[in-house]
Amino acid sequence: MLVEAVRGAQRLAAVSREALRLGLAPGLPLADARARVPNLLVREHEPSADSALLARMAEDAQRWTPLVALDPPHGLMLDVTGCAHLFDGEAAMRERVLQRLRRGGFSARGSLAGTPEAARALARFGRAAVVPTGHEAEAVRPLSIAALELPEETALALRRAGFKRIGDLADRPSAPLTSRFGPELSTKLRRLLGREDVRITPERPLPTCSAERAFAEPISRSETIARVLRALIEQVCAQLEGRGEGGRAFEARFDRTDGAKRRIGAEAGRPLRDPEAIDRLFRERLDALADPLDPGFGFDSIVLSVLASEPLDSVQPTLDGRAVAENEVADLIDRLIARFGPARVARFVPVDTHDPVRAARLVPATVESREGEAWPRPEPGEPPTRPLHLLEPPEPVEAVAEVPDGPPIRFRWRRALHDVARAEGPERILPEWWRDRQTPARDYYRVEDARGRRFWLFREGQYEEGESPRWYLHGLFA
Amino acid sequence: MSAVPPYAELVAATNFSFLRGAAHPQHMVLTALLLGHTGLGIADRNTVAGVVRAYCALKDLREEGAPPPEKVRDGSGPGEYVFVEHPRTGAMPVARDELKVLAQAFKLVVGARLAFADGTPDIVVYPTDRAAWGRLCRLLSLGKRRAKKAGCVLTFDDLLADPSGLLLIVLPSQPFDGLSHLLGQVDEAAPGAVWLGATMHRRGDDRRRLARLKASAAAARVPLLATNDALYDEPGARDLQDVLTCIREKVTIHRAGRLLEVNAERHLKRPAEMARLFADAPEALEETQHLLSRIDFSLKELEYDYPEETVPPGWTAQAWLQEVTWRRAAIRYPDGVPSKVEALLKEELALIARLDYARYFLTILDIVRVAEDKGILCQGRGSAANSAVCYVLGITAVDPAEHDLLFARFISEERREPPDIDVDFEHERREEIIQHIYEKYGRERAGIAATVISYRPRSAMREVGKALGLSEDVTARLASTQWSSWGTDIKDAHVAQAGLDPHNPLIRQALDLARRLLGFPRHLSQHVGGFVLTRGRLDETVPIGNAAMKDRTFIEWDKDDIDATGLMKIDVLALGMLTCIRKSFDLMRRHGLGDLALHDVEPDDQAVYDMLCKADSLGVFQVESRAQMNMLPRLKPRKFYDLVIQVAIVRPGPIQGDMVHPYLRRRAKLETENYPSPSPEHGDEDELYQVLNKTLGVPLFQEQAMRLAMVAAKFSDTEANQLRRSMATFRHVGTIGHFETQMVERMVARGYERAFAQRCFDQIKGFGSYGFPESHAASFAKLVYVSSWIKCHHPAVFACALLNSQPMGFYAPAQIVRDAQEHGVEVRAVDVNHSFHDCTLEDAGGALALRLGFRQVDGLGEEAGASVVGHRRTGYSSVEDLARRTRLPARVLRRLADADAMRSMGLDRRNALWEVRRIPDNAPLPLFAAADARELGDEPAVDLAHMSLGEHVAADYQTLRLSLKAHPMQILRPLFEAERVLTCAEASARADGARARTAGIVLVRQRPGNGNAIFITLEDETGITNVVLWARLFEQFRREVMAARLLLVEGQVQKSPEGVVHLMAERVFDRTEILKQLSEVHEAAPEFARADEFVHPQQPRGASSHPRNVRVLPKSRDFH
């Protein structure tokens, strides 16, 4: 059961068959549904995920025909003109299409008809079937007028006028109908009855750049392969430049003479269109392959495509070369990832919390930095309150301090005794109670010893609570 | 160790700093007291809403030596107070007397923390005297009036305009460069009255910050003040405060990050700890004492003065009141004022003179008179009905000549509380009265009282769940674990019922937090109609702000605060039945049926009582509910006082106290009246007879319950007063326990039976929720009688007025119409050639027929109806004619056609619609319009399919929510007959104990009181069936009950000797699907009656649950 918020109230957006059997229908407020059936399994409705899934299914459907259109929210429209014979005729093709979807765990209904409207109406409101061209009218006449999918107001008016089925409308003169229910009705009706046809607008193919080189003689020497690849990369980069984009994911496909295909992918942490950088990525990938590229009797073609791209403006390096330096870090990351895999290259991101241990988090370096993620900066003119180097876990120290919450006077860390010359604190940090209710509060002190070294110490617990609290060194300031 | 310097926290927020402060004001006071502070400064964010509570808490501590009842653990006897909720402050239980002494010396100062809209740091403001308090209130009023709903927009300049008499504490969150300049500015505006507040919250750089603040203060020659900027009383409240922050910022706790406080330091701290923290600036501690000593203002200085406009020049208020009273008395009693009444009036006037309440009465009189002038019906309710003066002034309608009134219940000399008069007005026209009051007294002198909207289990659970990041699913389940959102506790069992583990740590935590959040104020809202009027400026007593409703302004204090500060409140309430009665009177006048007013409806008409005894009371005031209808044939009212009892008896008080059945038995003479007596040595054996004889020895009214406590358990006035107060808060707080022991034990000690004593107390407990005082019941009974009289003698008038007063009452128009038909009224359909916006009465050969108005058509505005009527002249001949003359948009015409309102033009629904849809939805072409000619050409006739009766009925329900053509069940009858399903009438005719299967449209579903049973009312073409479904069966059939519009029920007929029939359901089937058979394409969705609890949930789901009851909750002071 999926719910969505409609004007402040949670309403059912989609329900399972079981729920439908219990009389719970989309549009019902969740509270009402719960009042009827208390133990419902409820998830948030995610229309964007649905449409993403539908888009993926549309992509998959390109196996049947290149002309695939989305029919949101939950339909696909396939123009199979001239394709059916490839799949043993229309009926068999419909069966195969539906079977493939069912194997994927979807329940699907499909109809084949001469016009998209008729096919859609039959699939959604009638007995799904294959309708031979020219017989649409016959097939749709028994359908309820709901199949016209008119606005609710018009549909109700039609019902009030006594029209229940498409057939009731089909034989009427269209003028009185049009003057009452608008031209939309007549148009829909004509299309549904197969009297007018509109082609579907297929999904635009994915905007990819690719470059291909076919060879009269298969090539097998790695130097040649590398050279060809480099040339292809340059071609692709030129295309990318033309589009003002950079590639985030690349794929090189090596077609062997025996028909075997080998695909090697490479991803970048930022949009790339520097041939050198892309080339370097592929070199890293090829070097790191556990299963080296085996040319066999040679490759007869190599295709390089860009699978994902993003806008990329040409960067004018600043005078101090800063932008270049940043790019170099990014390049380094990409190369490290290409060699060691994305899981093994990480970077720190700040976490919005008071807890110093959790204040930084490691994420895969490829993860985009999110907005608003900024490392806390000290107030201008104020000293840093967090050490540069954090000891994890904190190291116990012996300390002498003023009771109850004075800073340490001297402490012994790793057998060395430090006399505290200056100290500031306490900064009392409590554990986050929703994770941890046991750990006592920590009182942190920034201290400087007689030799000018600065430490971050804390006392766990309070003197006043009976047992004497323990001291730890948690970090070192630069 | 040296002596600890004295300290007082002067920057303390309470939970009236909404979603910031995490402790109740009374807890802050108590904790500060126990920690040894010399005083406390309560300053909430741009409000003084919480200060009265703090003030009352301190007053209680001074008088009782005990904290307000909330702090007392349930069951502990008087004098054995344990401060259970403060273990962590380390407070040892202090003896009561010791606490009293501490409280005497404790100084509470009240003010507000101004948060500015222009980026100025917060400034806490304390008025030093009454005048300065007025300035603060006006400042806050200014900010609140300027802001939209629930905000306060103040700028630094607003404060600087006139800060005289105010003490100011500047509270920068960080020291900053311009600070000394700012301090200088403030100091210039308020010389010598400025402090710089410093806090030591263990943030690491405390000492450095303190040094900088010290320097800034020194540079501006402003003293530094030590504070802890407290948000809660003790450190354990940190988690709750974090949750509040999450709710405020609309984030989950996991994402809140540094929006939360880093530690739990913002609690009230011991003076010793403050001294240690401020070791670098001991003078800052001393300043707290200095500041405290400068304040010479307490809320008790707010004195109230009644407005004087109502007294004509040359008269004193008292003399004028007497003059008016006697003048009016002469009019009320044209045959001479009865001596009983005369004596009463004299007595009351004397008391009014002694207490100086004349102006109060005159103010009410003025309002009532305005209503009379405007032709708005009104009637006083509640304890005011105990006053003969109120009766002769026309404020109430309970005639003192006929009833024994107890003026002392209304105003008592020893209570010295201002009187409280509640007046009901017609619900449709109350706003006129409200605006009159604003106009007459001005926005700065009149304001509506506030209602503090607090967290209830449902809302607390939902918000906490959201803050903790629980899934929507779990949160909703937790929140919906209770039927009622009126309870005060979330029980583990309820959680388990929802299929969640109450011992799961996360659930546990959520529950714990929700429990603690319970009762926290969430925001202020306006009271339903309690007006505060003053002689001087009200906005100098309490800030006034805008309500969410247009043209409404309300003050920051609720009715308890108003009581505590001795302000006077007049309740201007709305009552639908008054609208209905006035409309009835108007209709009667128009149709020559007499000219009546509330008090001159013929009394004691036996025909009316005959009707009521048959439970024929649909639409009648109060006694129309299912429970009341069941009671009528049992109680058999034969005189007015019976109605008073009828109104009062179907209430949780008498029901929980098990008083109903004894009363009925005694009334039916199945049991003798007996009056328990105390042991002879303890007093008059007739002592209870005096209290209870009117109700046959069974206490039914609130007054009686309280008299019982005083007479039988010898409660003193003070104790009775406490009991009364704790009853008032009982439903909020749930601490009445120690009174139980007190009352029961004392009664037992005086020789009463324990069981009887316990029953008496149980009833008092019931009254704590909802019970009626006698005078209130009498006021209502009057309306019951009047509405019954109209229904009995003029059923068409009554139905018409009732329909024109919708929405009100328990029933939907469909039932009202049907009831009228059953009473022989011809009901005519909506028609463009006959109807008006309202329903009207038409002559039908001597009788009156009810013509439904356009108001019954869904989605048709009043203007549309007016336009149809306005252009009608001699009638419309065709759709085109109608369209051309009215120029109504096509959408409206379609609605009219859809409602089958064109039959007089020879068009049924289908044909009318066909015609109407042809009318283009735009202005006519100028040429045609000028010629007033037909625009549409002729068109070949179209042969439309015949519309069946079923289709018409279904469409009628869709457009009108009722059908005059047939009952849906009538059309479906053959189907049900085939299944051997009985009609409702047949089922009701079966013998007691017989089995029956019946089906009908679901009108009402209710789950009253303790929720043991569900009541369902089914309707078919023959009548209704009352179904009772036990709760355990409900769980089994929950889906059917909650979803079905058409229900089939199998069960056993249960018939009482009085002929009240119930069907005890055993099996229930949802047959809603069958409604589709009416019409393939039109889904008839019959409407639930307004009393249905699931469609129209009612806030306090009391036993005889009804939305009106929210407004008729008795005032706590209706008895003593």
Side-chain angles (χ1 to χ4, degrees), chain B residues 335-550:
Chain B
D335 308 329
V337 182
S339 58
K340 176 186 171 195
V341 177
E342 195 180 327
L344 276 173
L345 288 174
K346 279 187 179 149
E347 193 187 311
E348 289 183 19
L349 286 169
L351 186 58
I352 291 169
R354 275 205 300 283
L355 298 175
D356 191 22
Y357 287 152
R359 280 170 301 172
Y360 177 72
F361 282 83
L362 289 171
T363 308
I364 307 258
L365 176 63
D366 175 62
I367 295 170
V368 168
R369 254 193 201 160
V370 170
E372 273 170 22
D373 291 348
K374 290 174 187 266
I376 301 172
L377 275 195
C378 62
Q379 189 192 235
R381 64 153 75 154
S383 52
N386 274 321
S387 155
V389 170
C390 283
Y391 176 74
V392 299
L393 291 181
I395 296 168
T396 57
V398 179
D399 188 344
E402 293 166 31
H403 305 279
D404 295 326
L405 305 185
L406 292 151
F407 191 60
R409 305 268 142 81
F410 176 40
I411 300 177
S412 101
E413 215 163 351
E414 59 266 32
R415 276 211 312 275
R416 286 243 41 135
E417 277 174 0
D420 183 5
I421 301 184
D422 303 345
V423 187
D424 287 316
F425 296 85
E426 290 175 35
H427 74 315
E428 285 180 2
R429 300 187 60 190
R430 180 175 69 133
E431 192 63 26
E432 294 175 38
I433 301 290
I434 289 178
Q435 292 306 328
H436 160 79
I437 294 173
Y438 278 135
E439 237 163 72
K440 174 153 185 174
Y441 298 95
R443 296 270 165 184
E444 66 291 333
R445 289 178 51 207
I448 297 180
T451 300
V452 180
I453 308 292
S454 316
Y455 280 102
R456 302 248 166 265
R458 216 176 262 265
S459 50
M461 199 62 249
R462 197 162 23 221
E463 300 275 77
V464 166
K466 229 186 265 174
L468 292 185
L470 296 182
S471 78
E472 184 76 37
D473 195 35
V474 173
T475 305
R477 256 199 265 175
L478 277 174
S480 65
T481 44
Q482 286 195 316
W483 277 61
S484 155
S485 51
W486 202 250
T488 48
D489 198 12
I490 303 168
K491 295 203 169 61
D492 281 359
H494 286 136
V495 179
Q497 257 171 31
L500 296 166
D501 176 10
H503 303 292
N504 168 315
L506 192 61
I507 301 286
R508 199 60 281 156
Q509 199 167 53
L511 281 172
D512 172 57
L513 285 161
R515 258 182 205 137
R516 285 158 59 199
L517 188 61
L518 276 186
F520 263 48
R522 190 161 55 165
H523 60 267
L524 295 179
S525 174
Q526 56 167 342
H527 184 261
V528 286
F531 258 100
V532 179
L533 304 172
T534 46
R535 178 177 180 181
R537 293 185 65 119
L538 178 59
D539 61 356
E540 290 188 351
T541 296
V542 54
I544 302 179
N546 295 332
M549 246 169 113
K550 197 174 157 269

Side-chain angles (χ1 to χ4, degrees), chain A residues 34-35 160 180 352 405 424, chain B residues 202 208 473 898 914 958:
Chain A
R34 276 229 169 80
R160 286 272 155 83
R180 286 173 175 81
D352 187 13
D405 59 359
E424 183 173 273
Chain B
R202 295 195 164 100
R208 208 146 27 93
D473 195 35
D898 222 7
W914 187 252
Q958 276 182 340

Side-chain angles (χ1 to χ4, degrees), chain A residues 42-54:
Chain A
V42 179
R43 293 287 171 271
E44 212 67 42
H45 176 47
E46 293 175 55
S48 59
D50 282 0
S51 53
L53 178 64
L54 194 63

Side-chain angles (χ1 to χ4, degrees), chain B residues 925-987:
Chain B
L925 297 174
L927 192 62
F928 293 104
D932 203 17
R934 291 194 58 193
E935 187 181 350
L936 300 169
D938 285 327
E939 175 178 73
V942 178
D943 174 30
L944 296 174
H946 171 71
M947 195 166 184
S948 71
L949 180 61
E951 278 183 282
H952 268 302
V953 170
D956 278 344
Y957 271 91
Q958 276 182 340
T959 55
L960 300 161
R961 301 165 189 224
L962 60 93
S963 177
L964 298 176
K965 300 183 180 90
H967 193 278
M969 287 297 292
Q970 195 176 330
I971 294 161
L972 300 170
R973 182 57 60 198
L975 296 169
F976 282 114
E977 239 164 36
E979 291 185 41
R980 294 163 180 267
V981 173
L982 301 177
T983 63
C984 289
E986 285 165 350

Side-chain angles (χ1 to χ4, degrees), chain B residues 571-628:
Chain B
D571 275 1
V572 178
L573 303 171
L575 196 59
M577 186 45 74
L578 282 172
T579 312
C580 173
I581 292 176
R582 200 255 309 154
K583 290 186 171 179
S584 296
F585 287 165
D586 288 352
L587 283 167
M588 286 171 62
R589 217 169 288 130
R590 196 175 315 143
H591 292 275
L593 298 172
D595 187 354
L596 289 182
L598 271 187
H599 54 266
D600 48 32
V601 173
E602 173 199 359
D604 284 328
D605 181 343
Q606 286 309 306
V608 173
Y609 292 112
D610 288 344
M611 179 185 88
L612 288 176
C613 287
K614 284 185 292 179
D616 180 7
S617 64
L618 188 147
V620 160
F621 188 57
Q622 279 285 311
V623 296
E624 61 170 347
S625 76
R626 172 74 182 275
Q628 292 275 8

